[in-house]
C-alpha cells in the first residue's frame, strides 16, 4: 500500500504542571508529547495495538518554552522499512514557524506475540520533503 506524506497537527497549552524547576517546559513532558504525536501519525497507517516505539532519534531544544505558550506539534511518517515506520515530529510556537524541537521516532509493527511483522506500507515522498527524507535515511537503522 503506497501512501503520501501527510502531516498531522495538534496544539498544546503549556501549563504550570508541565514545567521544570527552571520554570520552562520539562524535557520529559516534551518527550512524552513527542512520542505521542509520532504515534498518532503511525496509527493513521496501522492499528494502534500493533505499533511499538523502539527509538527516539534526536530531540534538541532550540529555545525554552514557558507557561502560557501554545505550541504546535506536527508529525508525519516519512519513511518505512519492512516492519518499521519512521515518524518526523517538530514542535513550534503555534503562531510562528520557529522550530523549538524536532526529530524522528522509529516504530515497529508487531504481531500478537509482539514479534516484528511486515506491514507492506510504502511512503511516497514528494520533492517538497526530499530533505526531510534524506535526514531520516541517515539515521542509524533499527534491525527490523
Amino acid at each position: 500500500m503506497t501512501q503520501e506524506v501527510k502531516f498531522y497537527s495538534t496544539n498544546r497549552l503549556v501549563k504550570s504542571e508541565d514545567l521544570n524547576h527552571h520554570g520552562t517546559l520539562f524535557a520529559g513532558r516534551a518527550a512524552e508529547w513527542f512520542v505521542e504525536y509520532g504515534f498518532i501519525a503511525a496509527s493513521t497507517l496501522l492499528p494502534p495495538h500493533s505499533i511499538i516505539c523502539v527509538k527516539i532519534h534526536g530531540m534538541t531544544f532550540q529555545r525554552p518554552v514557558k507557561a502560557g505558550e501554545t505550541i504546535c506539534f506536527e508529525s508525519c511518517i516519512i519513511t518505512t522499512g519492512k516492519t518499521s515506520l519512521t515518524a518526523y515530529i517538530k514542535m513550534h510556537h503555534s503562531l510562528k514557524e520557529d522550530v523549538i524541537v524536532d526529530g524522528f521516532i522509529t516504530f515497529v509493527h508487531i504481531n500478537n506475540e509482539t514479534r516484528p511483522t511486515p506491514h507492506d506500507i510504502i511512503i511516497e515522498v514528494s520533492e517538497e520533503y526530499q530533505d526531510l527524507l534524506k535526514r531520516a535515511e541517515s539515521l542509524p537503522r533499527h534491525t527490523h
Side-chain angles (χ1 to χ4, degrees), residues 44-64:
T44 65
L45 299 175
L46 294 169
H49 69 274
S50 72
I51 306 166
I52 58 171
C53 174
V54 294
K55 184 167 180 97
I56 297 174
H57 307 271
M59 198 180 131
T60 304
F61 282 84
Q62 302 303 312
R63 70 166 184 84

Side-chain angles (χ1 to χ4, degrees), residues 12 14 24-27 30 33-34 58-66 69-74 88-103:
R12 300 278 325 201
V14 178
T24 58
L25 178 60
F26 175 54
W33 293 340
F34 198 77
M59 198 180 131
T60 304
F61 282 84
Q62 302 303 312
R63 70 166 184 84
V65 179
K66 302 207 180 264
E69 288 189 62
T70 55
I71 52 176
C72 180
F73 283 86
E74 295 185 41
Y88 169 73
I89 303 95
K90 74 176 177 178
M91 178 177 80
H92 59 86
H93 189 274
S94 292
L95 299 176
K96 300 182 254 181
E97 283 297 317
D98 63 323
V99 175
I100 298 166
V101 64
D102 76 339

Side-chain angles (χ1 to χ4, degrees), residues 14 35 39 69-70 75 81 101 109 118 143:
V14 178
V35 172
F39 184 85
E69 288 189 62
T70 55
S75 60
V101 64
H109 180 233
T143 57

Side-chain angles (χ1 to χ4, degrees), residues 5-140:
V5 173
K6 182 174 180 186
F7 276 86
Y8 298 89
S9 298
T10 307
N11 291 297
R12 300 278 325 201
L13 171 64
V14 178
K15 300 179 281 191
S16 60
E17 62 261 27
D18 303 322
L19 305 181
N20 60 24
H21 59 288
H22 297 288
T24 58
L25 178 60
F26 175 54
R29 181 60 56 98
E32 175 186 342
W33 293 340
F34 198 77
V35 172
E36 181 179 336
Y37 298 124
F39 184 85
I40 288 169
S43 69
T44 65
L45 299 175
L46 294 169
H49 69 274
S50 72
I51 306 166
I52 58 171
C53 174
V54 294
K55 184 167 180 97
I56 297 174
H57 307 271
M59 198 180 131
T60 304
F61 282 84
Q62 302 303 312
R63 70 166 184 84
V65 179
K66 302 207 180 264
E69 288 189 62
T70 55
I71 52 176
C72 180
F73 283 86
E74 295 185 41
S75 60
C76 70
I77 300 301
I78 191 67
T79 189
T80 60
K82 182 178 175 184
T83 64
S84 65
L85 303 169
T86 300
Y88 169 73
I89 303 95
K90 74 176 177 178
M91 178 177 80
H92 59 86
H93 189 274
S94 292
L95 299 176
K96 300 182 254 181
E97 283 297 317
D98 63 323
V99 175
I100 298 166
V101 64
D102 76 339
F104 298 87
I105 299 176
T106 298
F107 296 93
V108 171
H109 180 233
I110 58 168
N111 62 20
N112 291 336
E113 290 77 41
T114 67
R115 302 256 192 274
T117 189
H119 51 60
D120 299 322
I121 296 171
I122 298 168
I123 299 296
E124 187 176 297
V125 181
S126 66
E127 189 65 35
E128 177 182 9
Y129 301 116
Q130 287 300 310
D131 288 341
L132 193 55
L133 176 62
K134 286 177 187 166
R135 283 179 60 196
E137 290 177 339
S138 72
L139 298 170

